Amino acid sequence: MKENSLWKDSFKRLAQDKTAMISLVIVIMYTLVALLSAMGLIASDWAREVGASNLPPSAEHWFGTDIFGRSVLAKVLRGTQVAMSVGVATAVISIPIGVFLGAIAGYFGGWIDDAVTWLYTTFSSIPNIMLLISITMILGKGLFAVYIALGATSWVTLSRLIRGEVMKHKEREYVQAAGAIGGGHMRKLFRHILPNVTHIVIINTSLQFQIAIKSEVILSYLGIGVQGEPSWGTMIDDAKLEISRGVWWQLAGATLAMFLIVLAFNLLGDALRDSLDPKLKGK
Amino acid sequence: MKFLNLVLAGLLVVVASCSKEKNFDERELHLMSPEKIAGFDPIQVSDRYSGHENGKVYEGLFEFHPLKRPYELIPNLADGMPTVSADGLTYTFKIKQGVLFHESPAFKGPRELKSDDVFYTLRRLADPKLSAKGWWIIDDKIAGLNEWREKNTNLPVTNYEEPIDGFKKIDDYNFSIVLKRPFPQFLYSLAMPYTFVVAKEVVDMFGKEFLNHPVGTGPFTLEKFEQSNRIVYLRNTKFRDKFYPSEGAEGDDKLGLLADAGKKLPLVDKVVVDIIPVDQTQWLNFQKGRVDLMEMKSMYERALDDGNQLHPNLKSNGIRLHIDPMLDVTFFAWNYDNPIMKNKKLRQALSLAFDRAGYNRTFYKGLASEAQSVIPPGLAGYRKEFKNPYTKYDVTLAKKLLAEAGFPGGKGLPDITVETRSDTIPRQQVEFLAKNMMEIGVKIKVGQNTWPELIKKVTTRQHQGYTMAWGADYPDAENFLGLLYCPNSSPGSNGSNYCNPDFDALFKTATQLQDSPERTSQYEKLMEMVALDTPWIFGFHRPEVYVSQAWLKNFKQMEFNHSQFQYLGVDLEVKKELSKKF
C-alpha cells in the first residue's frame, strides 16, 4: 500500500467533510467576486444612480436601491472586495509578525521569551476595538489605516500558539538529531521546526480572516474605517435610519453577505483543524 | 439583585398607578427634555435644554416677544427700553420696582431686585475663578471689565467690591453700562440665559451647591430637581403683575393665540418636566398624552404622511402640527487658503451643480427652504424675493463655467475632501454632494470626523472644505454675515477664511448702526454681495417640527424660547374630554 503524505492525508479527510467543502466553495466565490471587482469587471459603477431612491428588491434591482438610488447589489459586491482585501492584508501583515515572534520566543526562551510574552500580553490586555480606533486615529482614516491597524493587532493569538508549539517541538528527537549533525539555531528553527507547525498558521488564518472582516465592518460602521467606498459597515450604518421607514434591503444585503463569509470561514477553520490536527478532533 | 428588581417592579406599579389618576383640577403643564439639565447656574447654561429650565426660574432684563415676528426685543425686568447715548457707548437702564426674588433662607424677609444685582450678575459672568461658559458674550465689550477679570485671575479670592468703569449705579432702580466701542448687539446678550439675574446672598449661602438651589425672580419656583429623571415647578405666587400680550404677529388672532390676552402670567400652576433621552420613549409618551409638546427633531416621518400632513390617526386626537424654519443656515464651505478656491467661476460652477431640490427631498422631506445667501428668513436683511442666480440646479451651465474656470470636465482639478461629522446623516449629505459633483467631473471625497476633530480641522485651517450648520445666537443678521467677515477668519467663526475687502468695509459700518431701515438696507446689500460671489455652496434653512396636544394653548414656535413657558396654558375641559380616548 502506498503511503500518503501528511498533507495529502489531511486533504482527503477535508474532502470527505461536506460542510467544509461547501464553505470552501463559498470562500472561493467571494474571492472571485473580490478579484473581479478589483479588476473593475463588476460593480465598478456602483456610484451610478440606477433608479429611484429606496426601491425595494425587484427583478430589475435584486437587492433594491439605496437612498440615492444606487444599486444595493453593486454596493454589496464592491463591499466584498473591501472586506476580502482587509482579510488578506491583515493576514499578510500579521502572519510574519506572529510566526517570527512566536518562534523565537518559544525556541530561545530566556529574556527573548520574556520580552515577547510581555509584548503580546500588553497588546491583548488593551480592548481590541479601542486599540483599533486609536491606531486609525493616528494613521488617519481610510482603507490603508484599516490594513495596518488590523495587521498590527491580530498577530497576538498566532504568536502565542506558535510559541507553545515550538517549545514542544524543540525538545523532540528530530530537532536534537538536526543539532547533532551540526545544524545551527536558525536551521533547526526554520528548516525543521516551522514546517511542523504550519498547520497552526493555516487554521489560525482562517479564523483570523473573519475576525478581520468583522472588525472592518465595525470600524466602518463607526465612521473610522473605509472612506468614500462602499463597505458593509457603512451600509449597516445607513440602515440604522432606514429600518424605521421599512427599508430593510440594505441591512439585509450587507448582513447576509457578511453572515455567509463569516460562517464559511468559521466552519472551514474548524474543519481544517480537524483534518490537520486529528488529535484535536471533536474537542 | 432579585430583591432590587422586585423593588423596582413595585415602584413601577406605584408610578404607573399614580400617573393613571389624572388631575383635572389643577392646570399642569407636562413637558419633556431630551437631555439632562446642566443645573441652575445661569452663567454655565450653554445648551438649549438647560436654557429652557433656567428660564422658568430666572429672568433677564429683556426677553423676546412670544408672538411677534421678526423677533422683537422687549423689556422684562427692565422698565422700558434703555436710552443710548449719541456715541453709542452708554446704555442707561431702569428696572421695574417691586420685583421680588423667590423666598429663600438666604434672605431675611422679602428681597427686592436692585441695580446691584444686575452688576453682580455680570461680574459673576466675568469672574475668572468661575470660568463661565457665557463669558464670550461680554468679553471685550464693557469698559474696565476685562481689566478687572485680568487683575483677579491671580488673586486668591475674586474682589467683587472693586469699582468697574463700565458699571455706573444711579440709584437702586437706575444704572448705566458703558461699552468700550459701539456694539448694538449688546442688548441681545441681556436676554440670553447667561445674564439671568441672580442674588448674591443665595450664591454665597449655597456655594458650590448653588446650581441645585435656584432662587430667581421668574414665574415658577423649583419644587423638585432630579437631574436625570424629573423636574417639578410650582407657580410663583408672589410673581409680579405680568400679563399675556394683546398683540402678536399677523394671523395669531385666527390661531387663537390672543385668546388669553391680558391674563396674569403664568397661566399654569405646575410644570412637570420629564427627562427622556430616547426618541422612541418620547414618542410613545406623547402618543399616550402624557406630555403636551414634543420636538420631532429628525423623526418627522413618524408624524407626517407622504403629503407632509399630520397622520390622520394623530389628527383625530386633536394633535396639532407646527412646522417653521429655524433661524439657521447650512453650507458647504471651501478653504480660501487653497488658491484654487479663489477662482470665482469654479465656485459658481460647484454651486450650480448642486441639486437642492433632491437634497431637500432626501434629507428634509422637502420641508427646508433653500438658502439664497447667508441670512435666514425672519431676520432683517433677508429678502424674500431675492433669488441667487447660482443656486439653481443647472448642470449644463455648471459645466460651461467649469470649463471657463480652466477645468474643462474637471480636468486639472484635484480631489476635494469635504470634512463632516461621522454620523450617518452628515456622511450621506456629503455623499449626495459628491454624487452631484461627479456629474460635472469634480471628485469630492467624504472626510469623516468626530465633532472635536472637525472643529479642530476648521479652526486650524487643516481642511479643503467642510460642511456645517450655523444657528443664530441672537436675532441679528450680523451673527450670520460675520461668518464671512475677514477678521473673523479661523480660529474665528469664518472657517472658510473668505476675505472680500468691499464686504468687510460695508460690514464694519453696518454693524455699528442701531437697528434701523438704514442698517437693514446695508444688510441687504451685504447679503446680495456674498450671494453673487458664492463663497460657499449655500444650503438650507432647516425646518423645525413640533407636535402639540389639543389642550395645549398658546404654543408658537420660538428660536429663543427659554421664557416661553409662562405663556403656555392648558385647556382642562378639552383634556378631560380627550383623556377618555388615550
Side-chain angles (χ1 to χ4, degrees), chain A residues 47-49 53 67-68 70 137 141 220-224 226-228 234-235 237-242 244-245, chain B residues 298 301-302 362-363 422-425 427-433 435 438-439 445-450 453 457:
Chain A
R48 200 168 54 87
E49 213 173 309
S53 162
I67 182 168
F68 302 139
R70 301 178 296 202
M137 288 283 179
K141 285 163 203 133
S220 299
Y221 175 83
L222 294 175
I224 51 179
V226 181
Q227 313 272 313
T234 5
M235 292 173 73
D237 185 32
D238 283 343
K240 191 170 68 182
L241 297 170
E242 294 166 353
S244 69
R245 279 181 268 153
Chain B
S298 55
E301 61 268 6
R302 297 194 188 180
T362 310
F363 296 109
S422 52
D423 293 350
T424 317
I425 291 184
R427 170 175 57 73
Q428 289 179 338
Q429 290 176 333
V430 180
E431 280 178 9
F432 188 98
L433 177 80
K435 192 188 77 168
M438 206 152 64
E439 280 173 43
K445 282 191 185 160
V446 190
Q448 299 187 66
N449 302 277
T450 58
E453 268 184 302
K457 275 188 187 162

Side-chain angles (χ1 to χ4, degrees), chain A residues 2-65:
Chain A
K2 196 176 166 260
E3 277 289 308
N4 279 330
S5 79
L6 191 67
W7 288 103
K8 234 181 196 164
D9 223 24
S10 306
F11 189 76
K12 233 172 129 187
R13 275 197 295 270
L14 193 66
Q16 282 160 358
D17 188 341
K18 256 193 201 145
T19 348
M21 287 329 279
I22 296 174
S23 301
L24 190 63
V25 170
I26 293 178
V27 171
I28 292 171
M29 275 167 57
Y30 270 71
T31 316
L32 269 178
V33 167
L35 283 174
L36 290 175
S37 162
M39 289 188 288
L41 294 176
I42 52 168
S44 59
D45 58 348
W46 63 273
R48 200 168 54 87
E49 213 173 309
V50 295
S53 162
N54 287 336
L55 287 178
S58 62
E60 198 183 345
H61 310 294
W62 293 358
F63 283 22
T65 63

